[in-house]
Amino acid sequence: MENNHFFDLNYLKEMRVELTRFMMAYKFACDEINTKINILSDEFNYIHDYNPIEHVKSRIKSPESIFKKVQRKGYDFSLASIRENIRDIAGVRITCSFISDIYVLSEMLQNQGDIKVVEVKDYIKTPKPNGYQSLHMIVEIPIFMSDRTENTYVEIQIRTIAMDFWASLEHKIYYKYNKEIPGGLANELRNAALVAAELDRKMEWLHKEVSVIKEENSEDTGLAFLENGDIPAFLLKALSEYQKRIGHE
Ligand code: 0O2
């Protein structure tokens, strides 16, 4: 009885603290990545004339899902093995307007000094056979705790609104049919993915055309960025004074 860990109160307490620490690191990692994305988003709102970030969602994988994945992949059940092998416990999904935004954003994140890129899977250049498209990155970031630093993996998925729309419907259908989507439906989903990709290409083209026209107009007045209603009043005032001084009224 004495040797049975499950009746040892101290052992159970230690286990609880260990597990709490383990899951907490992933929550903090999500918070860190969300902060980085919020900073980029605010910077885009204030400095540039449009923001590529449409939505951001984050989630921590449930213990049940972690357990199932460990079992499915045949990994060891120790915390050390789970930490090393299950790299999507913390997940952040960013939805962008255009395909080019996905790559701009992924570069910006990859260039941040405290982010180590471990793996990039480009399902946009090479979609999955079912039609799934998205850019996936596994990154590692340091989480500074009171007595240790935990390097923690986060999976970042970046996709367009059209890709996200497709993926969420496919996800629902996949589970509705218990992971065995009937052939006819799977074909229709593949076709829908092609239509979504075509829509993304068209929207990108339109976006570029509009940007060129905007740039031409802004060269005329030099005031393009005044169109952004989010610019603080003191900045507008300073800019207008400056323009008066250099004779650009
Ligand atoms: P959830 O609920 O989003 O967390 P594996 O995890 O073993 O399946 P791998 O190589 O580790 O494969 O991961 P991969 O291919 O990078 O994709 C993992 C995540 O991408 C999935 O997480 C989904 O979120 C998303 N994903 C990948 N393929 C598809 C797909 O065909 N359809 C949809 N709708 N989403 C996909 P989870 O853990 O499966 O789900």
Side-chain angles (χ1 to χ4, degrees):
M1 197 72 142
E2 276 161 18
N3 288 333
N4 189 337
H5 282 329
F6 290 104
F7 293 97
D8 180 338
L9 216 60
N10 282 334
Y11 173 78
L12 285 177
K13 267 188 196 156
E14 269 171 36
M15 273 300 286
R16 202 190 63 185
V17 171
E18 250 339 272
L19 272 174
T20 309
R21 274 184 181 282
F22 181 82
M23 291 312 286
M24 238 172 29
Y26 293 102
K27 186 210 170 283
F28 297 151
C30 273
D31 292 348
E32 284 249 8
I33 298 289
N34 278 325
T35 302
K36 286 174 180 296
I37 298 164
N38 284 339
I39 289 172
L40 288 175
S41 178
D42 282 355
E43 191 200 329
F44 272 111
N45 280 333
Y46 284 115
I47 310 286
H48 306 285
D49 62 353
Y50 103 103
N51 186 345
I53 302 165
E54 290 282 345
H55 315 282
V56 184
K57 266 194 208 158
S58 56
R59 65 105 184 88
I60 306 290
K61 221 178 180 58
S62 67
E64 292 80 8
S65 298
I66 298 173
F67 183 84
K68 278 188 197 157
K69 192 163 180 177
V70 172
Q71 211 169 29
R72 178 161 55 87
K73 300 260 181 185
Y75 297 133
D76 193 74
F77 272 98
S78 68
L79 287 187
S81 148
I82 296 174
R83 186 178 286 120
E84 190 43 41
N85 294 310
I86 310 293
R87 297 179 174 185
D88 64 346
I89 295 178
V92 177
R93 184 174 294 153
I94 310 168
T95 314
C96 295
S97 318
F98 306 104
I99 297 173
S100 55
D101 294 337
I102 295 177
Y103 294 100
V104 168
L105 212 56
S106 107
E107 277 298 309
M108 284 177 176
L109 290 169
Q110 291 190 38
N111 287 336
Q112 300 204 359
D114 54 348
I115 288 187
K116 182 176 155 204
V117 182
V118 177
E119 191 182 6
V120 177
K121 286 191 205 161
D122 192 341
Y123 295 125
I124 300 170
K125 291 213 166 76
T126 315
K128 283 198 167 181
N130 62 356
Y132 177 79
Q133 289 194 65
S134 206
L135 183 74
H136 290 194
M137 292 195 286
I138 302 290
V139 300
E140 193 183 46
I141 51 162
I143 302 298
F144 301 103
M145 312 264 220
S146 55
D147 60 346
R148 58 172 117 170
T149 302
E150 294 269 10
N151 289 320
T152 307
Y153 293 118
V154 181
E155 183 190 65
I156 305 177
Q157 299 180 349
I158 318 180
R159 47 171 82 152
T160 61
I161 301 167
M163 293 172 194
D164 192 50
F165 188 26
W166 184 93
S168 48
L169 182 63
E170 192 269 353
H171 192 264
K172 277 181 206 140
I173 296 176
Y174 185 70
Y175 283 101
K176 185 173 163 56
Y177 286 96
N178 219 359
K179 306 185 181 180
E180 301 272 346
I181 302 182
L185 215 52
N187 274 341
E188 287 305 319
L189 272 170
R190 261 191 299 275
N191 286 339
L194 293 177
V195 174
E198 182 55 23
L199 176 66
D200 271 336
R201 272 192 292 277
K202 284 218 166 96
M203 298 304 261
E204 179 94 45
W205 182 85
L206 279 168
H207 171 62
K208 284 202 173 124
E209 285 294 297
V210 173
S211 304
V212 171
I213 296 167
K214 249 181 152 181
E215 242 167 60
E216 282 169 4
N217 289 344
S218 72
E219 272 166 21
D220 292 344
T221 62
L223 291 173
F225 99 94
L226 291 185
E227 284 166 17
N228 188 337
D230 287 341
I231 297 168
F234 78 92
L235 264 183
L236 283 177
K237 194 160 174 270
L239 182 67
S240 128
E241 300 276 313
Y242 175 71
Q243 281 175 325
K244 270 185 205 154
R245 236 184 293 147
I246 62 167
H248 239 293
E249 281 174 278

